[in-house]
């Protein structure tokens, strides 16, 4: 029947050769002559034969699949990381299996088990907010599966990683606020057990010292996870008598909650309070006022992570223990209306 799928056996029967000869010819095996390879390829084209790559991969014990675990797949940052990853993996012949932890540790553990059961060639992961135990990732390492952490990493693991230089970019952000006349700077930070937020918090604290600004413990908030929490905190801050004149937020979603609350409270931004975000999400250009932020170049993070992983996969057979890489991607400060005071405002 015409609708029946042509198999490798059909090609072998057509040429009166063995299936192994056809298979080796199509995979450019060194034991097959150039003449036979050409003959087999022409026959395969004539018969419209399409190789079953999955079956072949299973026979070879290599699926040519890479697992990627994200905290949230619907964030602008993470979707751009995926774009950068696929730019590298697709031309190399690898397919992505994308999983989402949804900021949940147990989900992340299940994701790892599922990917290991799928016999992926390697795994890339950005850790969830809840991840403090890395035993599940140590299992990946123990099984000799190449592993790369990106963006949200852990100091508990000796693996390849790709991160932003969050520390230096935060110092640049605080220094910018200081240059605009802000001297009472608060911080709303994500959970600081997470690598990125820990470095942004340290950058904030060190920047205060560099600018010779006073640290106020009442203006330091750790563990802010979303916009709603940021709104509640902002409301409480500005119901007090002693209030900050700027807020540095370790994520744009947090900054959005701050802006919305300040607008509702009729507190002028940037005249009375400056607001700085982090990640340069697409909405930061259309908030009222537009939001100053830090561009993290997520596509570069993704492509660097993928390049390291492919290198590890290809060099997996080497006996020598490799030195693990840590690549820093340099973020860029994006200045918009929310932190730009005119000279009229400065005292």
């Amino acid at each position: 029947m015409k609708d029946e799928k042509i198999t490798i056996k059909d090609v072998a029967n057509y040429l009166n050769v063995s299936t192994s000869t056809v298979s080796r010819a199509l995979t450019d095996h060194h034991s097959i002559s150039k003449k036979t390879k050409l003959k087999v390829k022409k026959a395969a084209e004539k018969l419209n034969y399409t190789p079953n790559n999955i079956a072949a991969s299973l026979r070879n014990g290599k699926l040519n699949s890479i697992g990627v675990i994200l905290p949230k797949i619907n964030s602008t940052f993470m979707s751009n990381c995926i774009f950068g990853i696929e730019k590298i993996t697709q031309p190399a012949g690898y397919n992505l299996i994308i999983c989402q932890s949804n900021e949940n540790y147990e989900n992340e553990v299940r994701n790892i088990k599922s990917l290991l059961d799928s016999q992926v060639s390697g795994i890339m992961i950005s850790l969830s907010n809840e991840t403090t135990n890395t035993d599940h990732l140590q299992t990946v390492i123990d099984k000799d599966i190449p592993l790369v952490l990106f963006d949200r990493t852990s100091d508990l693991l000796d693996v390849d990683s790709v991160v932003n230089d969050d520390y230096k970019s935060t110092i640049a952000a605080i220094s910018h606020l200081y240059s605009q006349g802000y001297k009472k700077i608060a911080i709303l930070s994500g959970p600081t057990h997470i690598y990125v937020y820990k470095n942004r918090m340290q950058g904030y604290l060190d920047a205060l010292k560099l600018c010779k600004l006073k640290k106020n413990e009442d203006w330091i908030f750790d563990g802010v996870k979303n916009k709603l929490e940021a709104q509640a905190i902002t409301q409480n801050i500005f119901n007090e008598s002693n209030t900050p004149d700027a807020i540095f937020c370790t994520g744009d979603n947090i900054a959005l909650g701050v802006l919305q609350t300040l607008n509702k409270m009729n507190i002028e931004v940037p005249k009375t309070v400056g607001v700085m975000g982090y990640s340069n999400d697409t909405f930061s250009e259309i908030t009222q006022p537009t939001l100053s932020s830090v561009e993290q170049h997520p596509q570069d993070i993704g492509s660097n992570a993928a390049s390291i992983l492919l290198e590890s996969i290809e060099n997996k057979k080497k006996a020598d223990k490799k030195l693990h890489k840590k690549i820093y991607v340099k973020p860029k400060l994006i200045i918009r209306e929310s932190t730009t005071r005119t000279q009229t405002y400065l005292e």
Side-chain angles (χ1 to χ4, degrees):
M1 293 179 65
K2 290 184 178 180
D3 291 338
E4 288 183 355
K5 182 175 177 62
I6 298 297
T7 67
I8 194 169
K9 189 175 181 180
D10 295 321
V11 179
N13 289 339
Y14 179 79
L15 293 171
N16 197 26
V17 297
S18 67
T19 55
S20 62
T21 296
V22 174
S23 176
R24 289 174 181 174
L26 292 175
T27 56
D28 203 29
H29 196 276
H30 64 85
S31 65
I32 306 298
S33 68
K34 289 183 179 180
K35 182 179 178 180
T36 301
K37 289 177 183 177
L38 181 60
K39 188 177 178 180
V40 169
K41 288 176 182 178
K42 284 184 176 180
E45 289 175 5
K46 183 176 181 179
L47 296 174
N48 292 319
Y49 168 68
T50 303
N52 187 334
N53 292 326
I54 294 177
S57 295
L58 286 170
R59 286 194 299 272
N60 295 331
K62 183 179 179 183
L63 284 176
N64 280 4
S65 293
I66 289 172
V68 183
I69 303 177
L70 311 171
K72 283 190 176 180
I73 200 168
N74 63 344
S75 80
T76 303
F77 176 83
M78 287 300 168
S79 61
N80 276 298
C81 283
I82 289 293
F83 185 87
I85 290 169
E86 198 164 38
K87 279 173 63 178
I88 302 299
T89 56
Q90 190 177 57
Y94 288 87
N95 298 311
L96 297 184
I97 301 176
I98 301 172
C99 306
Q100 176 180 239
S101 67
N102 201 26
E103 302 288 16
N104 180 273
Y105 170 73
E106 296 300 333
N107 285 345
E108 187 175 286
V109 172
R110 282 190 288 268
N111 290 158
I112 288 291
K113 185 178 185 306
S114 176
L115 291 174
L116 291 177
D117 289 344
S118 298
Q119 299 180 43
V120 292
S121 300
I123 295 175
M124 282 178 276
I125 182 170
S126 183
L127 303 179
S128 79
N129 274 336
E130 295 182 1
T131 302
T132 55
N133 185 326
T134 57
D135 288 349
H136 57 307
L137 299 178
Q138 187 60 50
T139 299
V140 177
I141 298 168
D142 293 342
K143 288 181 177 290
D144 200 26
I145 304 297
L147 175 67
V148 175
L149 273 60
F150 66 96
D151 187 47
R152 299 186 191 176
T153 66
S154 172
D155 293 330
L156 300 175
L157 298 167
D158 184 21
V159 295
D160 293 324
S161 60
V162 181
V163 296
N164 276 301
D165 197 340
D166 294 292
Y167 176 77
K168 288 183 180 178
S169 60
T170 298
I171 288 179
I174 301 303
S175 297
H176 162 71
L177 290 171
Y178 179 70
S179 74
Q180 293 296 305
Y182 300 109
K183 297 178 182 178
K184 299 162 66 179
I185 305 171
I187 181 171
L188 269 63
S189 173
T192 52
H193 70 265
I194 296 174
Y195 179 89
V196 295
Y197 300 128
K198 179 179 73 173
N199 286 340
R200 292 171 200 177
M201 177 65 78
Q202 192 60 54
Y204 162 80
L205 295 172
D206 288 352
L208 292 184
K209 293 177 183 176
L210 288 171
C211 297
K212 297 182 180 178
L213 298 176
K214 183 179 179 182
K215 180 179 75 171
N216 187 327
E217 295 292 346
D218 293 336
W219 298 341
I220 298 175
F221 296 88
D222 174 15
V224 185
K225 294 179 181 178
N226 54 50
K227 182 178 69 174
L228 291 177
E229 289 185 10
Q231 289 172 340
I233 291 169
T234 306
Q235 181 81 40
N236 290 335
I237 290 174
F238 288 93
N239 279 332
E240 299 294 328
S241 56
N242 184 25
T243 59
D245 61 8
I247 301 178
F248 171 68
C249 305
T250 60
D252 278 355
N253 201 39
I254 294 173
L256 179 61
V258 172
L259 275 180
Q260 290 172 334
T261 303
L262 292 175
N263 287 336
K264 285 182 181 178
M265 298 179 77
N266 295 315
I267 297 172
E268 293 184 81
V269 177
K271 181 179 179 180
T272 305
V273 179
V275 179
M276 170 72 72
Y278 204 111
S279 73
N280 197 34
D281 279 333
T282 50
F283 65 77
S284 61
E285 295 183 282
I286 58 173
T287 56
Q288 292 296 324
T290 56
L291 179 65
S292 293
S293 190
V294 179
E295 171 58 59
Q296 302 181 85
H297 306 296
Q299 290 186 26
D300 290 345
I301 291 175
S303 60
N304 275 291
S307 295
I308 294 176
L309 186 70
L310 291 186
E311 182 182 331
S312 295
I313 291 170
E314 296 304 317
N315 294 335
K316 188 177 174 183
K317 294 180 180 179
K318 291 186 177 180
D320 294 339
K321 184 177 180 181
K322 60 173 284 190
L323 294 175
H324 292 292
K325 295 181 179 178
K326 189 167 194 175
I327 293 179
Y328 289 91
V329 175
K330 185 178 180 180
K332 179 182 178 182
L333 202 58
I334 307 295
I335 305 305
R336 298 193 180 98
E337 295 170 344
S338 67
T339 61
T340 307
R341 280 173 157 177
T342 65
Q343 287 299 318
T344 307
Y345 298 152
L346 299 177
E347 295 181 359

